[in-house]
Structure formats: C-alpha cells, structure tokens
Short mmCIF file of all heavy atoms in Angstrom, two decimals:
data_model
loop_
_atom_site.label_atom_id
_atom_site.label_comp_id
_atom_site.label_asym_id
_atom_site.label_seq_id
_atom_site.Cartn_x
_atom_site.Cartn_y
_atom_site.Cartn_z
N VAL G 1 10.51 50.07 -65.53
CA VAL G 1 11.88 50.60 -65.53
C VAL G 1 12.18 51.38 -64.26
O VAL G 1 13.22 51.19 -63.64
CB VAL G 1 12.08 51.49 -66.78
CG1 VAL G 1 13.46 52.09 -66.78
CG2 VAL G 1 11.84 50.71 -68.06
N LYS G 2 11.25 52.23 -63.86
CA LYS G 2 11.51 53.14 -62.74
C LYS G 2 11.44 52.50 -61.36
O LYS G 2 12.01 53.03 -60.42
CB LYS G 2 10.53 54.32 -62.80
CG LYS G 2 10.79 55.27 -63.94
CD LYS G 2 9.92 56.50 -63.81
CE LYS G 2 10.28 57.53 -64.85
NZ LYS G 2 9.49 58.76 -64.69
N CYS G 3 10.74 51.39 -61.21
CA CYS G 3 10.51 50.81 -59.88
C CYS G 3 11.31 49.54 -59.63
O CYS G 3 10.93 48.73 -58.77
CB CYS G 3 9.02 50.55 -59.69
SG CYS G 3 8.01 52.03 -59.79
N ARG G 4 12.40 49.35 -60.33
CA ARG G 4 13.20 48.14 -60.16
C ARG G 4 13.75 48.02 -58.74
O ARG G 4 13.76 46.95 -58.15
CB ARG G 4 14.34 48.11 -61.17
CG ARG G 4 13.87 47.76 -62.55
CD ARG G 4 15.02 47.63 -63.50
NE ARG G 4 14.50 47.35 -64.84
CZ ARG G 4 15.20 47.48 -65.94
NH1 ARG G 4 16.44 47.90 -65.88
NH2 ARG G 4 14.66 47.19 -67.10
N LYS G 5 14.23 49.14 -58.20
CA LYS G 5 14.81 49.13 -56.86
C LYS G 5 13.76 48.72 -55.82
O LYS G 5 14.00 47.84 -54.98
CB LYS G 5 15.38 50.50 -56.52
CG LYS G 5 16.10 50.55 -55.18
CD LYS G 5 16.67 51.92 -54.90
CE LYS G 5 15.57 52.71 -54.21
NZ LYS G 5 15.91 54.04 -53.79
N GLU G 6 12.58 49.31 -55.90
CA GLU G 6 11.50 49.01 -54.96
C GLU G 6 11.01 47.57 -55.12
O GLU G 6 10.73 46.87 -54.15
CB GLU G 6 10.32 49.98 -55.14
CG GLU G 6 10.60 51.39 -54.70
CD GLU G 6 11.32 52.23 -55.76
OE1 GLU G 6 11.73 51.70 -56.81
OE2 GLU G 6 11.48 53.44 -55.51
N ASN G 7 10.93 47.12 -56.39
CA ASN G 7 10.52 45.75 -56.66
C ASN G 7 11.52 44.75 -56.09
O ASN G 7 11.13 43.74 -55.49
CB ASN G 7 10.34 45.55 -58.17
CG ASN G 7 9.72 44.22 -58.51
OD1 ASN G 7 8.99 43.64 -57.72
ND2 ASN G 7 10.01 43.72 -59.70
N SER G 8 12.80 45.03 -56.26
CA SER G 8 13.84 44.14 -55.73
C SER G 8 13.79 44.07 -54.21
O SER G 8 13.92 42.98 -53.62
CB SER G 8 15.22 44.60 -56.18
OG SER G 8 15.36 44.49 -57.57
N ALA G 9 13.59 45.22 -53.57
CA ALA G 9 13.50 45.25 -52.10
C ALA G 9 12.30 44.44 -51.63
O ALA G 9 12.39 43.69 -50.65
CB ALA G 9 13.41 46.68 -51.61
N LEU G 10 11.18 44.58 -52.31
CA LEU G 10 9.98 43.83 -51.96
C LEU G 10 10.19 42.33 -52.14
O LEU G 10 9.86 41.53 -51.25
CB LEU G 10 8.79 44.30 -52.80
CG LEU G 10 7.47 43.57 -52.60
CD1 LEU G 10 7.02 43.62 -51.15
CD2 LEU G 10 6.40 44.13 -53.52
N LYS G 11 10.78 41.94 -53.27
CA LYS G 11 11.05 40.53 -53.52
C LYS G 11 11.97 39.94 -52.46
O LYS G 11 11.74 38.83 -51.97
CB LYS G 11 11.69 40.34 -54.90
CG LYS G 11 10.74 40.31 -56.03
CD LYS G 11 11.51 40.00 -57.32
CE LYS G 11 10.64 40.03 -58.53
NZ LYS G 11 11.40 39.77 -59.75
N GLU G 12 13.04 40.67 -52.10
CA GLU G 12 13.97 40.19 -51.08
C GLU G 12 13.26 39.94 -49.76
O GLU G 12 13.48 38.92 -49.11
CB GLU G 12 15.08 41.21 -50.86
CG GLU G 12 16.21 41.14 -51.85
CD GLU G 12 17.30 42.16 -51.53
OE1 GLU G 12 17.56 42.39 -50.33
OE2 GLU G 12 17.87 42.70 -52.48
N CYS G 13 12.43 40.88 -49.36
CA CYS G 13 11.71 40.75 -48.10
C CYS G 13 10.77 39.53 -48.13
O CYS G 13 10.76 38.72 -47.20
CB CYS G 13 10.92 42.02 -47.80
SG CYS G 13 10.06 41.99 -46.22
N LEU G 14 10.00 39.41 -49.20
CA LEU G 14 9.04 38.30 -49.31
C LEU G 14 9.76 36.95 -49.36
O LEU G 14 9.37 36.01 -48.66
CB LEU G 14 8.16 38.48 -50.55
CG LEU G 14 7.20 39.67 -50.53
CD1 LEU G 14 6.52 39.81 -51.88
CD2 LEU G 14 6.19 39.55 -49.41
N ILE G 15 10.81 36.85 -50.16
CA ILE G 15 11.54 35.59 -50.30
C ILE G 15 12.19 35.19 -48.99
O ILE G 15 12.23 34.01 -48.63
CB ILE G 15 12.55 35.67 -51.46
CG1 ILE G 15 11.80 35.69 -52.78
CG2 ILE G 15 13.53 34.51 -51.43
CD1 ILE G 15 12.67 35.96 -54.00
N ALA G 16 12.70 36.17 -48.24
CA ALA G 16 13.29 35.87 -46.93
C ALA G 16 12.27 35.20 -46.02
O ALA G 16 12.60 34.25 -45.29
CB ALA G 16 13.82 37.14 -46.29
N HIS G 17 11.03 35.64 -46.09
CA HIS G 17 9.98 35.01 -45.28
C HIS G 17 9.61 33.63 -45.83
O HIS G 17 9.44 32.69 -45.05
CB HIS G 17 8.74 35.90 -45.22
CG HIS G 17 8.89 37.04 -44.29
ND1 HIS G 17 9.45 38.24 -44.66
CD2 HIS G 17 8.57 37.18 -42.98
CE1 HIS G 17 9.46 39.05 -43.63
NE2 HIS G 17 8.94 38.44 -42.60
N TYR G 18 9.48 33.52 -47.16
CA TYR G 18 9.09 32.25 -47.76
C TYR G 18 10.11 31.14 -47.47
O TYR G 18 9.74 29.98 -47.32
CB TYR G 18 8.92 32.37 -49.27
CG TYR G 18 7.83 33.32 -49.71
CD1 TYR G 18 7.90 33.95 -50.94
CD2 TYR G 18 6.73 33.60 -48.91
CE1 TYR G 18 6.91 34.82 -51.36
CE2 TYR G 18 5.74 34.47 -49.32
CZ TYR G 18 5.83 35.08 -50.54
OH TYR G 18 4.86 35.94 -50.96
N LYS G 19 11.38 31.49 -47.39
CA LYS G 19 12.43 30.49 -47.19
C LYS G 19 12.67 30.18 -45.71
O LYS G 19 13.44 29.28 -45.40
CB LYS G 19 13.73 30.95 -47.83
CG LYS G 19 13.68 30.92 -49.34
CD LYS G 19 15.01 31.28 -49.94
CE LYS G 19 14.97 31.15 -51.46
NZ LYS G 19 16.28 31.42 -52.06
N ASN G 20 12.05 30.91 -44.81
CA ASN G 20 12.26 30.73 -43.38
C ASN G 20 11.41 29.56 -42.87
O ASN G 20 10.19 29.63 -42.85
CB ASN G 20 11.86 32.03 -42.65
CG ASN G 20 12.12 31.97 -41.17
OD1 ASN G 20 12.35 30.91 -40.60
ND2 ASN G 20 12.06 33.13 -40.55
N PRO G 21 12.05 28.46 -42.42
CA PRO G 21 11.29 27.29 -41.95
C PRO G 21 10.44 27.59 -40.71
O PRO G 21 9.37 27.02 -40.54
CB PRO G 21 12.35 26.23 -41.64
CG PRO G 21 13.66 26.90 -41.74
CD PRO G 21 13.48 28.23 -42.38
N ASP G 22 10.90 28.50 -39.86
CA ASP G 22 10.11 28.86 -38.68
C ASP G 22 8.82 29.58 -39.10
O ASP G 22 7.76 29.37 -38.49
CB ASP G 22 10.91 29.76 -37.74
CG ASP G 22 12.09 29.02 -37.12
OD1 ASP G 22 12.02 27.78 -36.98
OD2 ASP G 22 13.08 29.69 -36.77
N PHE G 23 8.92 30.41 -40.11
CA PHE G 23 7.75 31.12 -40.62
C PHE G 23 6.75 30.13 -41.22
O PHE G 23 5.54 30.25 -40.99
CB PHE G 23 8.18 32.16 -41.67
CG PHE G 23 7.05 32.98 -42.22
CD1 PHE G 23 6.35 33.86 -41.41
CD2 PHE G 23 6.71 32.89 -43.55
CE1 PHE G 23 5.31 34.63 -41.92
CE2 PHE G 23 5.68 33.65 -44.07
CZ PHE G 23 4.98 34.52 -43.25
N TYR G 24 7.26 29.12 -41.94
CA TYR G 24 6.38 28.08 -42.50
C TYR G 24 5.66 27.35 -41.38
O TYR G 24 4.44 27.14 -41.44
CB TYR G 24 7.18 27.09 -43.35
CG TYR G 24 6.33 25.94 -43.84
CD1 TYR G 24 5.53 26.08 -44.97
CD2 TYR G 24 6.31 24.73 -43.16
CE1 TYR G 24 4.73 25.04 -45.42
CE2 TYR G 24 5.50 23.68 -43.60
CZ TYR G 24 4.72 23.84 -44.73
OH TYR G 24 3.92 22.83 -45.16
N GLU G 25 6.38 26.96 -40.34
CA GLU G 25 5.78 26.25 -39.21
C GLU G 25 4.73 27.11 -38.52
O GLU G 25 3.68 26.62 -38.11
CB GLU G 25 6.84 25.79 -38.21
CG GLU G 25 7.64 24.60 -38.68
CD GLU G 25 6.78 23.37 -38.95
OE1 GLU G 25 5.91 23.04 -38.13
OE2 GLU G 25 6.99 22.74 -40.01
N GLU G 26 5.01 28.39 -38.37
CA GLU G 26 4.06 29.32 -37.76
C GLU G 26 2.76 29.35 -38.57
O GLU G 26 1.66 29.27 -38.01
CB GLU G 26 4.68 30.71 -37.68
CG GLU G 26 3.77 31.77 -37.13
CD GLU G 26 4.39 33.16 -37.20
OE1 GLU G 26 5.64 33.29 -37.16
OE2 GLU G 26 3.62 34.13 -37.31
N CYS G 27 2.89 29.47 -39.88
CA CYS G 27 1.72 29.52 -40.75
C CYS G 27 0.99 28.17 -40.78
O CYS G 27 -0.25 28.12 -40.82
CB CYS G 27 2.12 29.94 -42.16
SG CYS G 27 2.73 31.64 -42.23
N LYS G 28 1.75 27.09 -40.73
CA LYS G 28 1.16 25.76 -40.71
C LYS G 28 0.34 25.57 -39.44
O LYS G 28 -0.80 25.07 -39.48
CB LYS G 28 2.26 24.70 -40.78
CG LYS G 28 1.78 23.27 -40.67
CD LYS G 28 2.96 22.34 -40.78
CE LYS G 28 2.73 21.07 -40.03
NZ LYS G 28 3.92 20.19 -40.03
N MET G 29 0.87 25.98 -38.29
CA MET G 29 0.15 25.85 -37.03
C MET G 29 -1.11 26.73 -37.04
O MET G 29 -2.16 26.33 -36.53
CB MET G 29 1.04 26.20 -35.85
CG MET G 29 2.21 25.23 -35.66
SD MET G 29 1.76 23.48 -35.70
CE MET G 29 0.83 23.34 -34.20
N GLU G 30 -1.01 27.91 -37.62
CA GLU G 30 -2.18 28.78 -37.74
C GLU G 30 -3.25 28.10 -38.59
O GLU G 30 -4.43 28.11 -38.24
CB GLU G 30 -1.79 30.12 -38.36
CG GLU G 30 -2.94 31.07 -38.51
CD GLU G 30 -2.54 32.39 -39.12
OE1 GLU G 30 -1.44 32.89 -38.81
OE2 GLU G 30 -3.34 32.94 -39.91
N TYR G 31 -2.82 27.48 -39.70
CA TYR G 31 -3.77 26.78 -40.56
C TYR G 31 -4.43 25.62 -39.82
O TYR G 31 -5.64 25.44 -39.88
CB TYR G 31 -3.10 26.27 -41.84
CG TYR G 31 -4.04 25.39 -42.62
CD1 TYR G 31 -5.06 25.96 -43.37
CD2 TYR G 31 -3.95 24.01 -42.54
CE1 TYR G 31 -5.97 25.17 -44.04
CE2 TYR G 31 -4.86 23.21 -43.20
CZ TYR G 31 -5.86 23.79 -43.96
OH TYR G 31 -6.76 23.00 -44.60
N LEU G 32 -3.61 24.82 -39.11
CA LEU G 32 -4.15 23.67 -38.38
C LEU G 32 -5.16 24.11 -37.31
O LEU G 32 -6.18 23.45 -37.10
CB LEU G 32 -3.03 22.85 -37.75
CG LEU G 32 -2.16 22.06 -38.73
CD1 LEU G 32 -0.96 21.46 -38.02
CD2 LEU G 32 -2.98 20.98 -39.42
N LYS G 33 -4.87 25.23 -36.67
CA LYS G 33 -5.79 25.77 -35.66
C LYS G 33 -7.11 26.18 -36.31
O LYS G 33 -8.19 25.87 -35.80
CB LYS G 33 -5.13 26.96 -34.97
CG LYS G 33 -5.95 27.56 -33.87
CD LYS G 33 -5.20 28.72 -33.24
CE LYS G 33 -6.09 29.48 -32.28
NZ LYS G 33 -5.47 30.72 -31.82
N GLU G 34 -7.03 26.86 -37.46
CA GLU G 34 -8.23 27.26 -38.18
C GLU G 34 -9.02 26.05 -38.66
O GLU G 34 -10.24 26.03 -38.57
CB GLU G 34 -7.87 28.14 -39.38
CG GLU G 34 -7.43 29.53 -39.02
CD GLU G 34 -7.03 30.35 -40.23
OE1 GLU G 34 -7.27 29.91 -41.38
OE2 GLU G 34 -6.46 31.44 -40.03
N ARG G 35 -8.31 25.03 -39.15
CA ARG G 35 -8.97 23.82 -39.64
C ARG G 35 -9.67 23.10 -38.50
O ARG G 35 -10.82 22.64 -38.65
CB ARG G 35 -7.94 22.89 -40.30
CG ARG G 35 -8.57 21.64 -40.90
CD ARG G 35 -7.56 20.77 -41.56
NE ARG G 35 -6.77 20.07 -40.56
CZ ARG G 35 -5.86 19.14 -40.83
NH1 ARG G 35 -5.60 18.84 -42.09
NH2 ARG G 35 -5.20 18.55 -39.88
N GLU G 36 -9.02 23.01 -37.35
CA GLU G 36 -9.62 22.35 -36.20
C GLU G 36 -10.88 23.10 -35.75
O GLU G 36 -11.91 22.49 -35.46
CB GLU G 36 -8.62 22.30 -35.04
CG GLU G 36 -9.16 21.65 -33.79
CD GLU G 36 -8.17 21.67 -32.64
OE1 GLU G 36 -7.02 22.10 -32.83
OE2 GLU G 36 -8.55 21.25 -31.54
N GLU G 37 -10.80 24.41 -35.72
CA GLU G 37 -11.96 25.23 -35.33
C GLU G 37 -13.11 25.04 -36.33
O GLU G 37 -14.27 24.94 -35.95
CB GLU G 37 -11.54 26.70 -35.24
CG GLU G 37 -12.55 27.58 -34.57
CD GLU G 37 -12.77 27.24 -33.11
OE1 GLU G 37 -11.85 26.75 -32.44
OE2 GLU G 37 -13.89 27.48 -32.61
N PHE G 38 -12.78 24.97 -37.62
CA PHE G 38 -13.80 24.75 -38.65
C PHE G 38 -14.45 23.39 -38.47
O PHE G 38 -15.68 23.26 -38.60
CB PHE G 38 -13.19 24.85 -40.05
CG PHE G 38 -14.16 24.48 -41.14
CD1 PHE G 38 -15.15 25.36 -41.52
CD2 PHE G 38 -14.08 23.25 -41.77
CE1 PHE G 38 -16.07 25.02 -42.52
CE2 PHE G 38 -14.98 22.91 -42.76
CZ PHE G 38 -15.97 23.79 -43.13
N ARG G 39 -13.67 22.37 -38.15
CA ARG G 39 -14.23 21.04 -37.96
C ARG G 39 -15.15 20.99 -36.74
O ARG G 39 -16.11 20.23 -36.74
CB ARG G 39 -13.11 20.01 -37.82
CG ARG G 39 -12.42 19.74 -39.14
CD ARG G 39 -11.29 18.77 -39.01
NE ARG G 39 -10.70 18.47 -40.31
CZ ARG G 39 -9.64 17.71 -40.48
NH1 ARG G 39 -9.03 17.17 -39.44
NH2 ARG G 39 -9.16 17.48 -41.69
N LYS G 40 -14.86 21.80 -35.74
CA LYS G 40 -15.71 21.84 -34.55
C LYS G 40 -17.00 22.60 -34.80
O LYS G 40 -18.07 22.18 -34.38
CB LYS G 40 -14.98 22.50 -33.38
CG LYS G 40 -13.91 21.66 -32.75
CD LYS G 40 -13.26 22.42 -31.61
CE LYS G 40 -12.10 21.66 -31.02
NZ LYS G 40 -11.41 22.45 -29.98
N THR G 41 -16.89 23.77 -35.47
CA THR G 41 -18.03 24.68 -35.59
C THR G 41 -18.71 24.63 -36.95
O THR G 41 -19.88 24.97 -37.05
CB THR G 41 -17.60 26.13 -35.34
OG1 THR G 41 -16.68 26.53 -36.36
CG2 THR G 41 -16.97 26.29 -33.98
N GLY G 42 -17.97 24.28 -37.99
CA GLY G 42 -18.52 24.31 -39.34
C GLY G 42 -18.52 25.69 -39.95
O GLY G 42 -19.08 25.91 -41.01
N ILE G 43 -17.89 26.65 -39.25
CA ILE G 43 -17.84 28.03 -39.74
C ILE G 43 -16.38 28.40 -39.97
O ILE G 43 -15.54 28.20 -39.10
CB ILE G 43 -18.46 29.00 -38.72
CG1 ILE G 43 -19.91 28.61 -38.43
CG2 ILE G 43 -18.39 30.43 -39.22
CD1 ILE G 43 -20.52 29.37 -37.27
N ARG G 44 -16.09 28.97 -41.13
CA ARG G 44 -14.73 29.42 -41.42
C ARG G 44 -14.38 30.59 -40.52
O ARG G 44 -15.23 31.39 -40.15
CB ARG G 44 -14.60 29.83 -42.87
CG ARG G 44 -14.71 28.67 -43.81
CD ARG G 44 -14.41 29.11 -45.22
NE ARG G 44 -14.53 27.96 -46.08
CZ ARG G 44 -15.02 28.00 -47.30
NH1 ARG G 44 -15.41 29.14 -47.81
NH2 ARG G 44 -15.10 26.91 -48.02
N SER G 45 -13.10 30.72 -40.19
CA SER G 45 -12.68 31.76 -39.24
C SER G 45 -13.01 33.16 -39.76
O SER G 45 -13.43 34.03 -39.00
CB SER G 45 -11.20 31.64 -38.93
OG SER G 45 -10.43 31.86 -40.08
N LYS G 46 -12.84 33.41 -41.05
CA LYS G 46 -13.14 34.75 -41.59
C LYS G 46 -14.63 35.03 -41.49
O LYS G 46 -15.04 36.14 -41.15
CB LYS G 46 -12.67 34.86 -43.03
CG LYS G 46 -11.17 34.89 -43.15
CD LYS G 46 -10.72 35.04 -44.58
CE LYS G 46 -9.21 35.03 -44.64
NZ LYS G 46 -8.71 35.12 -46.00
N ASN G 47 -15.47 34.04 -41.77
CA ASN G 47 -16.91 34.23 -41.66
C ASN G 47 -17.34 34.39 -40.21
O ASN G 47 -18.25 35.13 -39.91
CB ASN G 47 -17.67 33.04 -42.28
CG ASN G 47 -17.49 32.96 -43.77
OD1 ASN G 47 -17.04 33.92 -44.40
ND2 ASN G 47 -17.81 31.83 -44.35
#
C-alpha cells in the first residue's frame, strides 16, 4: 500500500528501457560479443 508511488516510478523506468529498440540492440550486441569470446576461449566472461 505504502510504496505504490515508488513501484510505479520503477516500473515506468524499466519499461521505458525494455521498449527501447536501441537498448535491445545494445544488449544484443553485448551478448553476441560475449558469445564470440566464449567460443574463442571456452571461458564465460563473468568467470
């Protein structure tokens, strides 16, 4: 009940990013870069 305003603000911010096609492409390119590096080295980027 008390955190509706904060929850709505958070949802708005997150949804704005999720619906942004440029943001999707940025994340897709980051993923492809990580996948390519994994295929070369066999080690995940976080590891």
Side-chain angles (χ1 to χ4, degrees):
V1 178
K2 290 188 173 183
C3 299
R4 285 184 182 164
K5 184 179 88 177
E6 290 83 353
N7 188 27
S8 295
L10 177 57
K11 278 185 184 178
E12 278 182 36
C13 183
L14 293 173
I15 289 172
H17 283 87
Y18 297 153
K19 289 184 176 183
N20 183 346
D22 293 333
F23 182 66
Y24 175 82
E25 285 301 315
E26 177 186 332
C27 294
K28 176 179 151 185
M29 295 311 292
E30 180 180 322
Y31 172 76
L32 289 171
K33 183 179 171 189
E34 287 178 10
R35 183 179 75 174
E36 179 183 355
E37 193 65 29
F38 174 76
R39 287 178 177 176
K40 286 180 185 176
T41 64
I43 302 171
R44 291 187 180 143
S45 63
K46 290 182 181 178
N47 293 345

